[in-house]
Amino acid sequence: MADQKQSGFGLWVNQHIMPPIMKFVNTKAITALQNGMVYSLPFIIIGSIFLILGNIPIKSVADAINASGWGAIFAQANNTTFQMMGLWAAIGIAYVYVKNENYEPLAPGLTSAAAFLMLQNLSIDNPLKAALTSGLTDGSMTGKVVTENIDKLPHALQSFLESPVTGVINTKWLGGDGMIAAIIVGLLVGWIYTMIMKAGWTIKMPAQVPPAVSNQFTAMIPSGVILTGSMLIYAAFNAFAHTDFLNWIYNTLQIPLQGISDSFGGAIAIGFLVPFFWFFGVHGGLIMGSLVAPMLQANTADNARLFAEGKLTIAQGAHVVTNEFYNNFINLTGSGITIGLIIFTLVAAKSVQLKSIGKLELVPGIFNINEPFLFGLPIVMNPMLAVPFFLTPLVVAASTYLVIKTGIVPPLNGVAAPWTTPAVISGFLIGGWKMAIWQACTLLISTAIYWPFARKYDKVLLAKEMKEAKQEANK
């Protein structure tokens, strides 16, 4: 009866819940977002290596690296790879969108980059004034004195301090802080470029012209329209809002969205929805990754910057829920954190089915791949394993959030360990030895939750196997 109810519920979910979700996930925009963001991944991972090298967690080694001048070199490498993720996303999203429409995609990708840069003010506040008015880094009263007496300074010095530095690109917006704006720009550029191409508003060259040249003339009108529109948007924000598009998007959309993603409720929601989709046979990691990755990557970039500055604390704005929280805790050893099930199958299982599938899953599970369990055991649509499959990520997400928030372990440092990095090793890379120990604790949590359910399921399978063997022997 319970199985029939579960089957009926599963059928209802597959008929009424999954179709609109899958329709949304497979839209042109979400597909471009999902696949376009992937183009930033090599730069994030390579930049993370430079971040680690510039911030070795051994003081004597770190001091030696900084004294040699290599600390600044590693910082330069990180700032031009990892900290440019917004720019790479803007290019990749427009590129994939137009490519999926079967048009030459490089020109719109570059157009997206130009529009993204055009929509920000090419100036920054005078860094000397910022340093003085912040009181410097030694806690002196210099900043207070300058702030209170700036009108008494010589006019030339006042003008110098008040004048912004112009003709520069503010890299703040090229990284995580510009992520939402990058997504908007990439999607709009891809869509507008495609619409213009479909309308035939292009310069057509004779067939004898080489494609490399012809494609650039073809792109001239759609790119020109988009860049002209970007210029007018910049002018409107500058004249009426006294800011720029990227700054406005950050304050209006990104800060609230990052706040939601970086909350206890956000961690719980992600921890629940990944196994929820998987349970009904839909790739929960892909769906949730498409929806939350931009915010979580922005959180990661903020933490990486704080880590490089030596300010990685909750009090100074570090995030708890980052992309590494998602990859290395919520999806640790695969969706549902099934390491506990692997351990049971290898240590205590008596049924042939569990023992054989456990041996098959061991190596993939070490590298956070658990499709053999999801579809081979199976876990998908299996009511006897539903409770631990849903409960384990929730418990791990909640407990990890709390140990970071309360300072028991430090915030994640922004290093983007590849999602296939084995547990404990990834914990050390993304948060040091305390995080490695906590990650080992989450493996024990998984084992404790899965064990009683796996044992019951094993008894059911063993009884079934013995019955089948007896029937076979009586033939």
Side-chain angles (χ1 to χ4, degrees):
M1 186 67 178
D3 288 351
Q4 290 177 354
K5 288 182 179 179
Q6 180 67 33
S7 298
F9 175 71
L11 184 63
W12 181 84
V13 169
N14 282 320
Q15 287 181 343
H16 296 92
I17 302 296
M18 291 304 171
I21 290 175
M22 294 310 299
K23 184 176 180 180
F24 172 74
V25 170
N26 291 321
T27 58
K28 294 178 182 179
I30 296 300
T31 301
L33 172 61
Q34 176 184 310
N35 296 331
M37 292 283 290
V38 172
Y39 283 90
S40 65
L41 189 60
F43 303 102
I44 292 173
I45 294 176
I46 293 169
S48 292
I49 296 172
F50 296 132
L51 181 63
I52 294 172
L53 292 174
N55 297 273
I56 299 292
I58 302 172
K59 190 175 186 305
S60 58
V61 176
D63 290 344
I65 289 173
N66 288 324
S68 69
W70 276 97
I73 294 172
F74 290 139
Q76 168 78 357
N78 174 256
N79 289 336
T80 52
T81 50
F82 190 119
Q83 297 300 336
M84 296 285 183
M85 65 167 66
L87 179 61
W88 311 138
I91 296 171
I93 291 168
Y95 180 95
V96 171
Y97 193 109
V98 176
K99 183 180 180 181
N100 288 345
E101 295 284 356
N102 298 314
Y103 295 109
E104 200 284 321
L106 182 57
L110 297 177
T111 301
S112 181
F116 185 56
L117 295 174
M118 190 182 293
L119 290 168
Q120 68 160 288
N121 286 323
L122 298 183
S123 64
I124 58 173
D125 291 336
N126 192 313
L128 179 59
K129 180 184 177 182
L132 291 173
T133 55
S134 66
L136 302 178
T137 58
D138 59 1
S140 72
M141 294 298 292
T142 305
K144 184 177 180 181
V145 170
V146 171
T147 303
E148 294 177 350
N149 298 279
I150 195 168
D151 59 335
K152 299 177 183 178
L153 295 173
H155 179 70
L157 183 55
Q158 287 185 47
S159 299
F160 173 73
L161 292 174
E162 294 292 348
S163 299
V165 179
T166 59
V168 297
I169 294 175
N170 189 349
T171 56
K172 167 185 173 68
W173 303 118
L174 303 187
D177 287 351
M179 185 60 73
I180 291 296
I183 291 171
I184 293 172
V185 170
L187 291 176
L188 285 176
V189 168
W191 177 68
I192 294 170
Y193 192 98
T194 300
M195 292 301 100
I196 294 175
M197 292 294 289
K198 287 181 177 179
W201 300 353
T202 60
I203 299 175
K204 294 180 173 58
M205 302 296 290
Q208 293 80 5
V209 176
V213 177
S214 177
N215 287 337
Q216 307 321 308
F217 279 94
T218 301
M220 199 167 295
I221 290 178
S223 294
V225 169
I226 291 168
L227 295 178
T228 301
S230 300
M231 179 191 68
L232 295 175
I233 292 171
Y234 170 80
F237 272 92
N238 188 55
F240 300 112
H242 306 292
T243 185
D244 60 61
F245 178 77
L246 273 63
N247 210 322
W248 184 81
I249 289 293
Y250 177 74
N251 289 294
T252 306
L253 292 178
Q254 183 155 327
I255 289 179
L257 288 174
Q258 280 189 254
I260 293 171
S261 71
D262 188 33
S263 65
F264 183 78
I268 293 297
I270 298 169
F272 170 76
L273 288 172
V274 170
F276 173 81
F277 289 122
W278 264 122
F279 187 75
F280 296 101
V282 181
H283 200 305
L286 274 180
I287 293 176
M288 292 309 298
S290 300
L291 298 176
V292 303
M295 292 302 91
L296 298 186
Q297 287 188 0
N299 292 348
T300 292
D302 288 345
N303 279 19
R305 183 172 62 249
L306 291 171
F307 179 58
E309 295 171 354
K311 301 176 181 178
L312 187 65
T313 64
I314 296 297
Q316 297 191 73
H319 300 282
V320 176
V321 185
T322 67
N323 205 49
E324 282 54 61
F325 186 103
Y326 173 76
N327 283 334
N328 298 286
F329 285 99
I330 289 176
N331 285 332
L332 187 65
T333 70
S335 299
I337 315 180
T338 52
I339 183 65
L341 190 55
I342 295 176
I343 292 172
F344 176 85
T345 62
L346 297 176
V347 173
K350 293 181 172 59
S351 66
V352 174
Q353 181 174 335
L354 278 189
K355 287 194 289 187
S356 59
I357 200 72
K359 293 176 183 178
L360 181 65
E361 168 60 20
L362 175 60
V363 173
I366 292 173
F367 296 96
N368 305 315
I369 300 168
N370 67 341
E371 275 78 0
F373 264 178
L374 294 175
F375 298 105
L377 197 57
I379 292 176
V380 170
M381 296 296 290
N382 186 342
M384 298 195 71
L385 295 175
V387 172
F389 188 63
F390 282 85
L391 184 60
T392 305
L394 288 176
V395 172
V396 170
S399 56
T400 302
Y401 184 94
L402 292 174
V403 297
I404 295 175
K405 192 73 173 179
T406 57
I408 296 174
V409 298
L412 299 170
N413 58 22
V415 171
W419 65 270
T420 52
T421 305
V424 181
I425 296 175
S426 65
F428 179 78
L429 292 174
I430 65 179
W433 66 269
K434 289 184 178 179
M435 194 63 72
I437 292 175
W438 172 248
Q439 204 174 52
C441 291
T442 65
L443 303 183
L444 297 177
I445 291 172
S446 170
T447 303
I449 295 175
Y450 270 100
W451 196 277
F453 296 93
R455 183 170 57 186
K456 184 176 180 180
Y457 186 50
D458 184 53
K459 289 180 179 178
V460 171
L461 292 177
L462 181 61
K464 181 180 177 182
E465 289 172 359
M466 292 177 66
K467 182 179 178 180
E468 290 175 350
K470 187 176 180 179
Q471 291 175 344
E472 187 68 26
N474 291 333
K475 286 183 179 180

